[in-house]
Short mmCIF file of all heavy atoms in Angstrom, two decimals:
data_model
loop_
_atom_site.label_atom_id
_atom_site.label_comp_id
_atom_site.label_asym_id
_atom_site.label_seq_id
_atom_site.Cartn_x
_atom_site.Cartn_y
_atom_site.Cartn_z
N ILE A 1147 13.31 -5.96 -8.92
CA ILE A 1147 13.45 -5.36 -10.25
C ILE A 1147 12.81 -6.22 -11.33
O ILE A 1147 12.39 -5.72 -12.36
CB ILE A 1147 14.93 -5.06 -10.59
CG1 ILE A 1147 15.76 -6.33 -10.64
CG2 ILE A 1147 15.51 -4.08 -9.58
CD1 ILE A 1147 17.21 -6.09 -11.05
N ARG A 1148 12.72 -7.54 -11.10
CA ARG A 1148 12.03 -8.40 -12.06
C ARG A 1148 10.54 -8.10 -12.09
O ARG A 1148 9.89 -8.19 -13.14
CB ARG A 1148 12.26 -9.87 -11.71
CG ARG A 1148 13.62 -10.39 -12.13
CD ARG A 1148 13.93 -11.74 -11.51
NE ARG A 1148 15.26 -12.21 -11.87
CZ ARG A 1148 15.93 -13.15 -11.21
NH1 ARG A 1148 15.37 -13.72 -10.15
NH2 ARG A 1148 17.12 -13.51 -11.62
N GLN A 1149 10.00 -7.73 -10.95
CA GLN A 1149 8.57 -7.40 -10.88
C GLN A 1149 8.29 -6.04 -11.49
O GLN A 1149 7.31 -5.86 -12.22
CB GLN A 1149 8.10 -7.43 -9.42
CG GLN A 1149 8.03 -8.83 -8.83
CD GLN A 1149 7.55 -8.82 -7.39
OE1 GLN A 1149 7.22 -7.77 -6.83
NE2 GLN A 1149 7.51 -9.98 -6.77
N LYS A 1150 9.15 -5.05 -11.20
CA LYS A 1150 8.88 -3.68 -11.65
C LYS A 1150 9.24 -3.45 -13.11
O LYS A 1150 8.63 -2.63 -13.79
CB LYS A 1150 9.62 -2.69 -10.75
CG LYS A 1150 9.07 -2.66 -9.34
CD LYS A 1150 9.60 -1.49 -8.55
CE LYS A 1150 8.92 -1.39 -7.19
NZ LYS A 1150 9.41 -0.25 -6.40
N LYS A 1151 10.27 -4.14 -13.61
CA LYS A 1151 10.65 -4.05 -15.02
C LYS A 1151 10.81 -2.60 -15.49
O LYS A 1151 10.15 -2.16 -16.42
CB LYS A 1151 9.62 -4.77 -15.88
CG LYS A 1151 9.52 -6.26 -15.59
CD LYS A 1151 8.47 -6.91 -16.47
CE LYS A 1151 8.36 -8.39 -16.17
NZ LYS A 1151 7.31 -9.04 -16.99
N GLU A 1152 11.66 -1.85 -14.83
CA GLU A 1152 11.88 -0.46 -15.21
C GLU A 1152 13.36 -0.13 -15.12
O GLU A 1152 14.13 -0.78 -14.40
CB GLU A 1152 11.08 0.49 -14.31
CG GLU A 1152 11.43 0.37 -12.83
CD GLU A 1152 10.54 1.23 -11.95
OE1 GLU A 1152 9.82 2.08 -12.49
OE2 GLU A 1152 10.58 1.04 -10.73
N ARG A 1153 13.74 0.88 -15.86
CA ARG A 1153 15.13 1.32 -15.85
C ARG A 1153 15.44 1.95 -14.50
O ARG A 1153 14.63 2.71 -13.97
CB ARG A 1153 15.34 2.34 -16.97
CG ARG A 1153 16.80 2.69 -17.21
CD ARG A 1153 16.89 3.75 -18.28
NE ARG A 1153 18.22 3.85 -18.85
CZ ARG A 1153 18.57 4.73 -19.76
NH1 ARG A 1153 17.67 5.61 -20.21
NH2 ARG A 1153 19.79 4.76 -20.24
N ALA A 1154 16.61 1.64 -13.96
CA ALA A 1154 16.94 2.14 -12.62
C ALA A 1154 18.44 2.39 -12.49
O ALA A 1154 19.23 2.09 -13.39
CB ALA A 1154 16.47 1.15 -11.55
N ILE A 1155 18.80 2.97 -11.34
CA ILE A 1155 20.19 3.22 -10.98
C ILE A 1155 20.53 2.28 -9.82
O ILE A 1155 19.76 2.17 -8.86
CB ILE A 1155 20.39 4.68 -10.55
CG1 ILE A 1155 19.98 5.63 -11.68
CG2 ILE A 1155 21.84 4.94 -10.14
CD1 ILE A 1155 19.85 7.08 -11.25
N TYR A 1156 21.70 1.63 -9.90
CA TYR A 1156 22.07 0.64 -8.89
C TYR A 1156 23.42 0.95 -8.28
O TYR A 1156 24.42 1.08 -9.01
CB TYR A 1156 22.12 -0.76 -9.51
CG TYR A 1156 20.86 -1.14 -10.25
CD1 TYR A 1156 20.74 -0.88 -11.62
CD2 TYR A 1156 19.79 -1.74 -9.60
CE1 TYR A 1156 19.59 -1.21 -12.31
CE2 TYR A 1156 18.63 -2.08 -10.29
CZ TYR A 1156 18.53 -1.81 -11.65
OH TYR A 1156 17.38 -2.13 -12.33
N PHE A 1157 23.46 1.09 -6.96
CA PHE A 1157 24.70 1.22 -6.23
C PHE A 1157 24.93 -0.12 -5.54
O PHE A 1157 24.21 -0.48 -4.59
CB PHE A 1157 24.62 2.36 -5.21
CG PHE A 1157 24.69 3.73 -5.83
CD1 PHE A 1157 23.57 4.32 -6.37
CD2 PHE A 1157 25.91 4.42 -5.89
CE1 PHE A 1157 23.63 5.58 -6.95
CE2 PHE A 1157 25.98 5.68 -6.47
CZ PHE A 1157 24.84 6.26 -7.01
N LEU A 1158 25.91 -0.87 -6.01
CA LEU A 1158 26.11 -2.25 -5.57
C LEU A 1158 27.43 -2.43 -4.83
O LEU A 1158 28.49 -1.99 -5.31
CB LEU A 1158 26.08 -3.21 -6.77
CG LEU A 1158 24.89 -3.12 -7.72
CD1 LEU A 1158 25.08 -4.10 -8.87
CD2 LEU A 1158 23.59 -3.40 -6.98
N ASP A 1159 27.35 -3.10 -3.69
CA ASP A 1159 28.56 -3.51 -3.00
C ASP A 1159 29.19 -4.64 -3.80
O ASP A 1159 28.51 -5.34 -4.55
CB ASP A 1159 28.21 -3.97 -1.59
CG ASP A 1159 29.45 -4.18 -0.72
OD1 ASP A 1159 30.55 -3.78 -1.16
OD2 ASP A 1159 29.31 -4.74 0.37
N VAL A 1160 30.48 -4.85 -3.63
CA VAL A 1160 31.16 -5.92 -4.35
C VAL A 1160 31.12 -7.22 -3.58
O VAL A 1160 30.98 -8.30 -4.15
CB VAL A 1160 32.62 -5.52 -4.66
CG1 VAL A 1160 33.39 -6.69 -5.24
CG2 VAL A 1160 32.65 -4.35 -5.64
N ASP A 1161 31.21 -7.15 -2.25
CA ASP A 1161 31.27 -8.36 -1.42
C ASP A 1161 29.98 -8.57 -0.64
O ASP A 1161 29.51 -7.68 0.08
CB ASP A 1161 32.44 -8.24 -0.43
CG ASP A 1161 33.78 -8.10 -1.15
OD1 ASP A 1161 34.02 -8.89 -2.08
OD2 ASP A 1161 34.55 -7.20 -0.78
N PHE A 1162 29.42 -9.76 -0.79
CA PHE A 1162 28.24 -10.16 -0.03
C PHE A 1162 28.53 -11.51 0.62
O PHE A 1162 28.35 -12.56 -0.01
CB PHE A 1162 27.01 -10.29 -0.92
CG PHE A 1162 26.51 -8.99 -1.48
CD1 PHE A 1162 26.87 -8.59 -2.76
CD2 PHE A 1162 25.69 -8.17 -0.72
CE1 PHE A 1162 26.41 -7.39 -3.28
CE2 PHE A 1162 25.24 -6.96 -1.24
CZ PHE A 1162 25.60 -6.58 -2.51
N PRO A 1163 29.00 -11.53 1.89
CA PRO A 1163 29.31 -12.80 2.55
C PRO A 1163 28.09 -13.74 2.55
O PRO A 1163 27.00 -13.37 2.96
CB PRO A 1163 29.65 -12.36 3.98
CG PRO A 1163 30.13 -10.96 3.83
CD PRO A 1163 29.29 -10.37 2.74
N GLY A 1164 28.31 -14.94 2.04
CA GLY A 1164 27.22 -15.92 1.99
C GLY A 1164 26.39 -15.84 0.73
O GLY A 1164 25.53 -16.69 0.51
N PHE A 1165 26.63 -14.80 -0.10
CA PHE A 1165 25.88 -14.64 -1.34
C PHE A 1165 26.86 -14.49 -2.50
O PHE A 1165 28.08 -14.51 -2.33
CB PHE A 1165 24.97 -13.41 -1.28
CG PHE A 1165 23.88 -13.51 -0.25
CD1 PHE A 1165 24.02 -12.90 0.99
CD2 PHE A 1165 22.72 -14.23 -0.50
CE1 PHE A 1165 23.03 -12.98 1.95
CE2 PHE A 1165 21.72 -14.32 0.46
CZ PHE A 1165 21.88 -13.70 1.68
N GLU A 1166 26.33 -14.31 -3.69
CA GLU A 1166 27.16 -14.05 -4.87
C GLU A 1166 27.85 -12.70 -4.74
O GLU A 1166 27.44 -11.86 -3.95
CB GLU A 1166 26.28 -14.07 -6.11
CG GLU A 1166 25.18 -13.02 -6.07
CD GLU A 1166 24.05 -13.35 -7.02
OE1 GLU A 1166 24.28 -14.07 -7.98
OE2 GLU A 1166 22.94 -12.88 -6.77
N ASN A 1167 28.91 -12.49 -5.53
CA ASN A 1167 29.57 -11.19 -5.47
C ASN A 1167 28.80 -10.16 -6.30
O ASN A 1167 27.88 -10.48 -7.04
CB ASN A 1167 31.04 -11.30 -5.92
CG ASN A 1167 31.18 -11.68 -7.38
OD1 ASN A 1167 30.51 -11.13 -8.25
ND2 ASN A 1167 32.09 -12.62 -7.65
N GLY A 1168 29.24 -8.91 -6.16
CA GLY A 1168 28.52 -7.82 -6.82
C GLY A 1168 28.56 -7.88 -8.33
O GLY A 1168 27.63 -7.41 -9.00
N PHE A 1169 29.60 -8.49 -8.89
CA PHE A 1169 29.69 -8.58 -10.35
C PHE A 1169 28.69 -9.59 -10.90
O PHE A 1169 28.07 -9.37 -11.94
CB PHE A 1169 31.12 -8.96 -10.76
CG PHE A 1169 32.16 -7.99 -10.27
CD1 PHE A 1169 33.05 -8.34 -9.28
CD2 PHE A 1169 32.21 -6.69 -10.79
CE1 PHE A 1169 33.99 -7.45 -8.82
CE2 PHE A 1169 33.15 -5.79 -10.34
CZ PHE A 1169 34.04 -6.16 -9.35
#
Side-chain angles (χ1 to χ4, degrees):
I1147 63 177
R1148 282 168 182 161
Q1149 289 181 1
K1150 292 192 174 180
K1151 297 179 181 178
E1152 60 185 348
R1153 190 183 198 183
I1155 301 167
Y1156 307 91
F1157 285 83
L1158 307 178
D1159 190 10
V1160 172
D1161 300 312
F1162 292 97
F1165 295 99
E1166 60 201 335
N1167 65 46
F1169 302 110

